């Protein structure tokens, strides 16, 4: 008898940071929204706002890139005083991921995933010693779209996507807003049959 694979629970994650890499620079906010669940019978979307997580974090260094900081509009001085201690924030995030995942294996998804995953995974390992996603449980929405659209990855941008795939929510550079927006995009991509063969 063939054993059914464990379901996957897709968690849209967005982070805002004050530089290009973790360590020298800081993750300042973390937003997440459950996008949906996939098992052997198919994909079931969740309401993007039904299960969410958000924290603003204390910076871990004095270094920052002004242009990167300006993107989010977050105030580093306020976060030094009021931001969550990174270990506490990441432990709370891990507990949230495990709770919403239930019997499913959590998968982080992002658009694009590479930047957000770099900060998220580094912070998880640095401050908690583990990742609820393992070392490779992430899915890049740009790659998903490129594969379904039969396009070269570097040719992909939201402006190249069919209008019906695009989320109705705005991209605000607030980590929770953008995680919810990306969850909507992910659900649209999962439902899309893709471009016909040429």
């Amino acid at each position: 008898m063939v054993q059914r694979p464990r379901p996957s629970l897709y968690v849209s994650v967005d982070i805002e940071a004050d530089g290009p890499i973790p360590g020298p620079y800081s993750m300042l906010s973390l937003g997440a929204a459950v996008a949906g669940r996939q098992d052997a019978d198919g994909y079931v979307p969740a309401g993007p706002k039904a299960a969410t997580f958000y924290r603003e974090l204390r910076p871990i260094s004095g270094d920052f890139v002004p242009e990167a900081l300006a993107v989010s509009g977050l105030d580093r001085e306020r976060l030094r005083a009021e931001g969550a201690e990174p270990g506490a924030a990441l432990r709370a995030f891990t507990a949230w991921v495990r709770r919403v995942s239930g019997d499913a294996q959590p998968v982080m998804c992002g658009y694009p995933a590479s930047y957000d995953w770099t900060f998220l995974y580094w912070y998880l390992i640095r401050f908690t010693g583990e990742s609820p996603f393992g070392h490779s449980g992430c899915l890049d929405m740009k790659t998903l779209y490129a594969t379904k659209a039969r396009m070269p990855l570097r040719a992909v941008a939201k402006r190249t996507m069919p209008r019906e795939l695009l989320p109705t929510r705005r991209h605000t550079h607030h980590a929770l807003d953008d995680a919810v927006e990306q969850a909507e995009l992910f659900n649209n991509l999962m439902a899309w049959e893709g471009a016909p063969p040429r």
Side-chain angles (χ1 to χ4, degrees), residues 144-161:
L144 178 61
Y145 175 75
T147 302
K148 286 190 160 195
R150 303 172 189 270
M151 286 181 68
L153 180 63
R154 296 304 291 270
V156 171
K158 286 183 182 173
R159 68 180 177 278
T160 68
M161 295 182 176

Side-chain angles (χ1 to χ4, degrees), residues 17-21 23-26 28 59-70 74-77 80:
D18 61 13
I21 58 171
Y25 304 105
S26 304
L28 301 179
I60 60 171
S61 82
D63 295 334
F64 67 95
V65 176
E67 295 81 4
L69 184 60
L74 290 166
D75 182 336
R76 279 177 52 92
E77 291 310 307
R80 279 190 194 286

